[in-house]
């Protein structure tokens, strides 16, 4: 099964609050984005945003230029429906991030929670990093959350790569300065815990 088919099936068969990555609030992500100090008119992209509540919280906070990218159209549709009329304020992009054609230096903030860790092939990770370098403006903010070394080794039936802040930063290389990292213990809707690491980098 290819990536798109897998994720479309997940979102067509599971309620948004019945997937392990569900969060009632995207607290750590929102805090990192707010702490960047960007303007409300600056451009944010949430990569693999799925049906996450983060977009609602960014709109509520006044951000005006938000793009949500996901390989699953069904996931984007769920977020779109939840937002109602406010969905028109968002730029929805249905694409695989390893093949996405994003505009040059268009984004001030790149956010990804629980997508990069699905890229088990080095060539896919290289393409992802090349796309970040292309799409984020110099000086822009890159926030990527993955499973930590003591996190799960699978998610949604797929193998993942687990990272420390150092190993995640080293995937991005010298064009990115590691500014901060935070561990989070995520409580799944099923009463289990997942250890995450959030890395915050600046793009040179
Ligand atoms: C574990 S979920 C996380 C969703 C969201 N970021 C959150 O924190 O709630 C992973 C998301 O990444 C999307 N995804 C997986 N592989 C992708 C890829 N190669 N390109 C774009 N989106 C992808 C899935 O459709 C899914 O919505």
């Amino acid at each position: 099964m290819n990536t798109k088919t897998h994720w479309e099936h997940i979102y067509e068969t599971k309620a948004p609050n019945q997937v392990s990555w569900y969060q009632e609030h995207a607290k750590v992500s929102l805090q990192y984005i707010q702490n960047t100090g960007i303007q409300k008119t600056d451009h944010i992209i949430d990569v693999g945003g799925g049906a996450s509540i983060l977009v609602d919280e960014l709109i509520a906070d006044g951000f005006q230029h938000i793009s949500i990218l996901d390989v699953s159209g069904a996931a984007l549709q769920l977020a779109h429906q939840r937002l109602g009329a406010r969905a028109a304020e968002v730029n929805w992009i249905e694409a695989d991030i390893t093949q996405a054609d994003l505009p040059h230096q268009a984004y001030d903030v790149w956010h990804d929670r629980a997508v990069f860790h699905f890229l088990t092939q080095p060539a896919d990770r290289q393409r992802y990093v090349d796309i970040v370098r292309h799409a984020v403006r110099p000086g822009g903010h890159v926030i990527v959350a993955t499973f930590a070394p003591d996190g799960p080794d699978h998610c949604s039936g797929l193998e993942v790569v687990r990272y420390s802040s150092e190993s995640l930063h080293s995937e991005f290389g010298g064009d990115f300065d590691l500014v901060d990292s935070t561990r989070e213990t995520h409580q799944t809707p099923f009463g289990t815990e997942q250890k995450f690491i959030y890395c915050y980098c600046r793009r040179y």
Side-chain angles (χ1 to χ4, degrees), residues 3 7 11 21 48-50 52 69-72 95-97 113-115:
T3 302
W7 288 103
Y11 284 105
W21 55 92
S52 166
L69 180 149
D70 204 282
V71 71
S72 164
D96 184 319
I97 191 52
R113 173 177 179 267
V115 185

Side-chain angles (χ1 to χ4, degrees), residues 13 18 24 58 64 78 96 98 105 126-127 133 168:
T13 55
Q18 287 303 309
E24 198 175 339
L58 291 170
Q64 295 163 27
L78 287 166
D96 184 319
T98 62
Q105 298 184 357
Q126 190 55 56
R127 273 197 294 275
R133 210 181 282 113
L168 184 52

Side-chain angles (χ1 to χ4, degrees), residues 84-163:
R86 289 175 303 161
E89 298 169 29
V90 177
N91 180 31
W92 305 96
I93 306 169
E94 186 178 326
D96 184 319
I97 191 52
T98 62
Q99 295 160 29
D101 186 14
L102 295 178
H104 187 228
Q105 298 184 357
Y107 303 104
D108 300 283
V109 172
W110 177 286
H111 174 267
D112 162 351
R113 173 177 179 267
V115 185
F116 185 78
H117 65 196
F118 287 111
L119 304 179
T120 54
Q121 299 303 313
D124 285 339
R125 295 199 290 274
Q126 190 55 56
R127 273 197 294 275
Y128 179 110
V129 172
D130 288 346
I131 291 172
V132 179
R133 210 181 282 113
H134 167 80
V136 175
R137 69 159 168 85
H141 311 267
V142 179
I143 301 151
V144 178
T146 67
F147 285 151
D150 52 350
D153 55 10
H154 281 73
C155 177
S156 181
L158 301 174
E159 195 187 335
V160 302
V161 182
R162 296 174 289 184
Y163 294 95

Side-chain angles (χ1 to χ4, degrees), residues 160-203:
V160 302
V161 182
R162 296 174 289 184
Y163 294 95
S164 63
S165 53
E166 293 79 14
S167 63
L168 184 52
H169 177 234
S170 73
E171 291 287 336
F172 281 73
D175 289 349
F176 298 87
D177 189 16
L178 178 62
V179 181
D180 189 46
S181 66
T182 302
R183 285 174 58 90
E184 182 197 35
T185 301
H186 168 62
Q187 309 289 336
T188 74
F190 320 120
T192 56
E193 291 186 344
Q194 296 178 332
K195 309 285 187 189
F196 275 80
I197 182 96
Y198 287 71
C199 281
Y200 167 38
C201 294
R202 295 294 295 267
R203 180 208 187 288

